[in-house]
Amino acid sequence: MANDSMLKFVDREQSYPDKRTADERADDFREIAQRYAVEPAEEQAGRCSQCGVPYCSVHCPLHNHIPDWLRLTAEGRLREAYELSNATSTMPEICGRICPQDRLCEGNCVIEFTGHGAVTIGSVEKFITDTAWENGWVEPLVPGKSRGQSVGVIGAGPAGLTAAEYLRGHGYDVHVYDRYDRAGGLLTYGIPGFKLEKPIVMRRVERLKVAGIVFHEGFAVGDDASLDDLRQRHDAILIATGVYKARAMDLPGGGSNGVVAALDFLVASNRKGFGDAVPAFDDGSLNAEGKDVVVIGGGDTAMDCVRTAIRQGAKSVKCLYRRDRANMPGSQREVANAEEEGVEFVWLSGPQSFDGGDTVSSVKVRKMRLGAPDASGRRAPEPDPAGDYSVNADLVIKALGFDAEDLPTLFATPELGVSRWGTVLVDGKTLMTSLDGVFAAGDIVRGASLVVWAIRDGRDVAATMHKWLKTKAANARIAA
């Protein structure tokens, strides 16, 4: 029988934490939403219908025990709620902030289907773990008994950090190699602070460092050591580099000054937030201040770029997307936030050229219309006979997504098996690559995806690596 604190969705309306006004939040990079106070968090958690088959959990890549920690929250048992949330996720407060809940757990909430509005799962998840940090409930990572084996993790993003945490808990010596000077991957340098403030990421990294995980920051595999070098140092290797190569846009004027890649723009902005010296920002190359900005793309990275440009003081910000609003891949919540902040979305529009000579001054745009569905089932854009037009642009940001780098060449390991898209091929069960003892996980395997999937992949690969390393150690003992 359901607890009396639950099933309140009929007489209790859905209520998200208040957002700061658009004018207020456009002046800084702090998160836009306030956090629940205790009472509203408990009230909103109590709206859960405690489904026998919880679609929210089914559609969560981590299969978090969502109805259970919602019930514990509604009952005021916050420490237990945190411990249950933490049992399946290494970064629940990060997922609570940046997961597209409208496409995952909340989008599949049963009471959403009844017209009562989904339970505010992400906001409650954020509340639970933020409360845990404030109250000292987030315990140190305790390494398991030393196994005398070491693991090298290439990439300090969510997949690599998750695997490192689990493997350290199993008693392995873990070394994490990352080319950036701070760990966190896109959590640190790709996602803007208004979605994920950086101290939240840094405290997670610091917890791993205190547990004895060794971070080699500013270490580029291929330059500072080859993959073979790392294989000699460690008993097993995990490749968790993510995908960072910007998708090409081969259009006239694409090499003009002022036409930049999304990640370059976002990294520069995040570095400024850390107080770093960023010459390309200071000289205006990667700074939107006072400029007419055009962002090309319709995914979450494009939303990060348009909203960052607003905060940098752009004169105007337009987002060109070749499909319509209903067919864009980015979060609808992010589109709404961007519109509130002054971004203009130009739907059914595709760039044809970047005009202005050495420095871009405008974008020639072709109107599009939606034709027949393509292989993915989405209606494919095609040119609209209505014609072309131009929009002013001092800064054009290309946000078309990311592909894998050429790792076999970059790592000086041509025998590393990759797909025709450049992603690393792995065995479906063991998650091992074509190289013995070398595993891979996250976006470098599945292609550009969500942080929550990277965490899931890190959790899965840690389990298969643990099994393989135990067998390796047992075989070594037998041979001795």
Side-chain angles (χ1 to χ4, degrees), residues 434-446:
S434 58
L435 305 175
D436 190 50
V438 178
F439 298 77
D443 285 5
I444 194 58
V445 174
R446 66 169 63 243

Side-chain angles (χ1 to χ4, degrees), residues 241-294:
T241 57
V243 291
Y244 279 81
K245 186 174 75 174
R247 286 187 184 148
M249 182 187 297
D250 187 16
L251 294 175
S256 301
N257 294 325
V259 181
V260 304
L263 193 56
D264 292 343
F265 177 69
L266 294 172
V267 170
S269 180
N270 279 312
R271 282 198 176 281
K272 289 299 290 187
F274 278 109
D276 295 352
V278 187
F281 182 94
D282 296 335
D283 69 16
S285 303
L286 295 174
N287 183 355
E289 184 177 4
K291 295 178 179 177
D292 290 313
V293 178
V294 172

Side-chain angles (χ1 to χ4, degrees), residues 88 104 129 134 148 192 213 219 260 327 356 411 433-434:
T88 51
L104 298 173
T129 308
E134 290 172 1
I213 295 174
F219 189 106
V260 304
N327 285 280
F411 288 176
T433 70
S434 58

Side-chain angles (χ1 to χ4, degrees), residues 161-331:
L161 294 180
T162 295
E165 177 168 340
Y166 283 115
L167 290 166
R168 185 64 178 147
H170 287 312
Y172 298 102
D173 295 330
V174 180
H175 291 251
V176 179
Y177 301 88
D178 196 90
R179 59 183 152 192
Y180 284 104
D181 55 347
R182 295 180 181 90
L186 292 180
L187 299 176
T188 298
Y189 284 129
I191 298 173
F194 53 78
K195 287 171 62 176
L196 178 61
E197 293 181 5
K198 300 313 157 187
I200 293 163
V201 182
M202 293 300 106
R203 70 186 178 188
R204 280 287 173 191
V205 173
E206 184 60 27
R207 178 173 172 270
L208 301 184
K209 290 181 176 180
V210 170
I213 295 174
V214 181
F215 284 80
H216 304 265
E217 292 158 339
F219 189 106
V221 178
D223 292 333
D224 297 303
S226 68
L227 180 58
D228 283 342
D229 292 334
L230 295 186
R231 293 179 73 190
Q232 296 301 314
R233 297 182 197 179
H234 301 289
D235 294 283
I237 295 291
L238 171 63
I239 299 173
T241 57
V243 291
Y244 279 81
K245 186 174 75 174
R247 286 187 184 148
M249 182 187 297
D250 187 16
L251 294 175
S256 301
N257 294 325
V259 181
V260 304
L263 193 56
D264 292 343
F265 177 69
L266 294 172
V267 170
S269 180
N270 279 312
R271 282 198 176 281
K272 289 299 290 187
F274 278 109
D276 295 352
V278 187
F281 182 94
D282 296 335
D283 69 16
S285 303
L286 295 174
N287 183 355
E289 184 177 4
K291 295 178 179 177
D292 290 313
V293 178
V294 172
V295 176
I296 299 167
D300 289 332
T301 299
M303 299 307 99
D304 293 345
C305 290
V306 295
R307 299 181 65 202
T308 294
I310 288 286
R311 284 157 176 77
Q312 290 180 356
K315 179 181 176 183
S316 69
V317 181
K318 291 182 173 65
C319 181
L320 305 184
Y321 183 56
R322 60 183 185 159
R323 289 183 169 93
D324 60 9
R325 186 185 194 119
N327 285 280
M328 71 174 300
S331 165

Side-chain angles (χ1 to χ4, degrees), residues 53-64 66 108:
V53 178
Y55 290 166
C56 56
S57 296
V58 170
H59 288 272
C60 171
L62 291 166
H63 300 315
N64 288 332
I66 296 169
N108 292 279

